[in-house]
Amino acid sequence: MRLSPRHPRYASLRVRARLANAHRHGVVVPEGLIAQGRGEAFDYLLGEQSSPSARRAERVAAEWLLAAHHPVVSVNGNVAALAAREVAALARAVPGLAVEVNLFHRTGPRARAVARALRAAGVTRVLGVRPTATIPGLPSDRARVDRGGIFRADVCLVPLEDGDRAEALRALGKRVISIDLNPLSRTSRAADLPIVDEVQRALREIVRAAGARGGRASPPHMRPFDRRAALADALATIARELSRAAARGSIGRPRRRASRRRSRGTGGRSRRMP
Amino acid sequence: MRLSPRHPRYASLRVRARLANAHRHGVVVPEGLIAQGRGEAFDYLLGEQSSPSARRAERVAAEWLLAAHHPVVSVNGNVAALAAREVAALARAVPGLAVEVNLFHRTGPRARAVARALRAAGVTRVLGVRPTATIPGLPSDRARVDRGGIFRADVCLVPLEDGDRAEALRALGKRVISIDLNPLSRTSRAADLPIVDEVQRALREIVRAAGARGGRASPPHMRPFDRRAALADALATIARELSRAAARGSIGRPRRRASRRRSRGTGGRSRRMP
């Protein structure tokens, strides 16, 4: 189907088409498409933009990754489909960053398809295609990781992660930075540094902040991060957008469509909320 | 993957597995899976239960369907996957109700797969597999309907409908009853009677209410419905759940998991919101 740029939801329709396409190529599983929908809903409620609080979290994330001994970013099918280029940029911006394929629904061909997508986007070294270690506390395949990657990492960036796995990584004493649009998800609640933002926007801001620090750890230690305040801010943002929406009938910036509304002869009945 | 009933999100994981399976059988398209995710997020924010306001809307919907000359329920892939049995029960409860397959992403095999799922659930007559009319104002395949079904209907029940189509039906002067978990969606805003509830729960309540009226139009006219109040109630429910969640760290009823939490030796750091 051809998408019209005049459609009120053009941007998210494009992302959806991209995900559906990645699904056809074996990169994204059906469950990943459902997860994308959940993310979309929360992004919509957040006004589809990075909040000041999320941007602060992204800058601290850049510092933590730069200060880490063994930083790693975990990449699943949705991350590869949505933000492979941003992952490649992050690997360039953070010296020593390991990039590891880590799949909830793992098959060999799928792990290779995700790795291919990452390499095509410019990631030079991809771990996790043939896992060499197991993290305790998780059933079967979901626990399989790379000994030189997630297994030994001190700081793990886990975009769009499953709650069980985020909790298992934290239980191993790793510092977990999550990117998850749901401030109430188990992943967001388990993370040391929960970033409540869309994955592309979040990674771009982390890359920008790491670049601004010249790729060097500055400050050299990991600044404390108030995770509760970050999650409370995200909930407050949603609540604010909702009360605005209740007054106006839609969320976020006014859509282009608004100027194209025609009268539909409904006998004076109001068809929309004011 | 085997699902554990002890998982904190067991119910929604089961629905997800069901949708993913329907997708493998050609009933649900990738875009339908993404839409399911959006619905899940809103249901989560609504506390995963029917609000009193939604139940009122469902009872009025039953009355409208019973009072209609040509009531129709429009069924797409997600509706067939999630609630084929409820659609069959509705067809038994509302005399003369037409059941019509109506797909956004239409192919012949897919229309037949949806019709098969409906028949397997007990629907005796399924319209829309070979469309015989076109509704104006919509591009190509999305406009194709049955002349004896949606085309001539005076009351259309459209669960999980696309915004463009809901608006096109309204523009034709039909009374539109939507079932959509997003109170801000274009579908909810276009409908004469927006039901903000999960499709299975909504259909079951409509069936129950129609049954309680013995399948007869009572009252014989269509009672007015305050659509603005219904949408405002849904937004207020979400806002209330969010402020509760902000205080507690999760939405809805306490999960079973809560009693299984172990100490994870995080050196006294709080891992969750209180």
Side-chain angles (χ1 to χ4, degrees), chain A residues 1 7-9 15-17 19-20 23-24 29-31 33-42 44-45 104-105 142 162 164 166-168 170-171 175 182-186 189-192 227-228 231-232 235 238-239 242 245-251 257 261-262 264 266 269-274, chain B residues 1 7-9 15-17 19-20 23-24 29-31 33-42 44-45 104-105 142 162 164 166-168 170-171 175 182-186 189-192 227-228 231-232 235 238-239 241-242 245-251 257 261 264 266 269-274:
Chain A
M1 196 180 65
H7 192 284
R9 304 289 306 150
V15 173
R16 275 176 221 170
L19 258 282
H23 167 59
R24 283 175 204 108
V29 287
E31 292 76 3
L33 294 173
I34 299 177
Q36 166 68 16
R38 286 195 299 279
E40 263 185 25
F42 280 101
Y44 176 77
L45 291 172
F104 190 97
H105 300 275
R142 292 160 55 195
D162 155 66
D164 286 340
E167 291 178 356
R170 269 297 281 115
R175 281 187 191 243
N182 178 358
L184 296 163
S185 73
R186 289 193 300 131
R189 289 184 282 138
D192 296 281
R227 45 188 303 289
R228 288 186 196 209
L231 296 177
L235 288 171
I238 293 176
L242 276 171
R248 197 176 51 198
S250 73
I251 254 178
R257 179 75 161 233
R261 264 177 218 166
R262 294 149 298 162
R264 275 175 300 185
T266 54
R269 262 193 297 173
S270 168
R271 296 290 317 290
R272 288 172 190 274
M273 295 171 71
Chain B
M1 197 180 67
H7 192 284
R9 304 290 305 149
V15 173
R16 276 176 220 168
L19 258 280
H23 168 59
R24 283 177 204 105
V29 288
E31 291 77 4
L33 294 173
I34 300 178
Q36 166 68 16
R38 286 196 299 279
E40 264 184 25
F42 280 101
Y44 176 77
L45 291 172
F104 190 98
H105 300 274
R142 294 160 53 194
D162 155 66
D164 286 339
E167 291 178 357
R170 269 298 281 115
R175 282 187 190 243
N182 178 359
L184 296 162
S185 74
R186 288 194 300 131
R189 288 185 284 138
D192 296 281
R227 45 189 302 291
R228 289 187 196 208
L231 296 177
L235 288 170
I238 293 176
E241 288 286 336
L242 275 172
R248 196 177 50 198
S250 73
I251 254 177
R257 178 76 161 233
R261 263 178 218 164
R264 273 174 301 184
T266 55
R269 262 193 299 173
S270 168
R271 297 289 318 289
R272 290 172 188 272
M273 296 171 71

Side-chain angles (χ1 to χ4, degrees), chain B residues 5-6 22 35 39 52-53 140 162 238:
Chain B
R6 292 195 307 184
S53 162
S140 66
D162 155 66
I238 293 176

Side-chain angles (χ1 to χ4, degrees), chain A residues 49-60 195 197 205:
Chain A
Q49 55 191 338
S50 307
S51 68
S53 162
R55 281 199 298 273
R56 277 194 299 278
E58 286 147 10
R59 289 192 292 272
V60 176
I195 296 172
D197 202 357
E205 179 64 14

Side-chain angles (χ1 to χ4, degrees), chain B residues 45-58:
Chain B
L45 291 172
L46 287 160
E48 291 173 342
Q49 56 192 337
S50 306
S51 69
S53 162
R55 281 199 297 273
R56 276 194 300 276
E58 286 146 11

Side-chain angles (χ1 to χ4, degrees), chain B residues 218-232:
Chain B
S218 151
H221 60 278
M222 296 188 202
R223 262 207 289 169
F225 182 79
D226 189 344
R227 45 189 302 291
R228 289 187 196 208
L231 296 177

Side-chain angles (χ1 to χ4, degrees), chain B residues 43-78:
Chain B
D43 199 19
Y44 176 77
L45 291 172
L46 287 160
E48 291 173 342
Q49 56 192 337
S50 306
S51 69
S53 162
R55 281 199 297 273
R56 276 194 300 276
E58 286 146 11
R59 289 192 293 271
V60 177
E63 293 174 8
W64 283 21
L65 289 169
L66 291 171
H69 295 292
H70 299 293
V72 66
V73 56
S74 172
V75 178
N76 63 22
N78 281 32

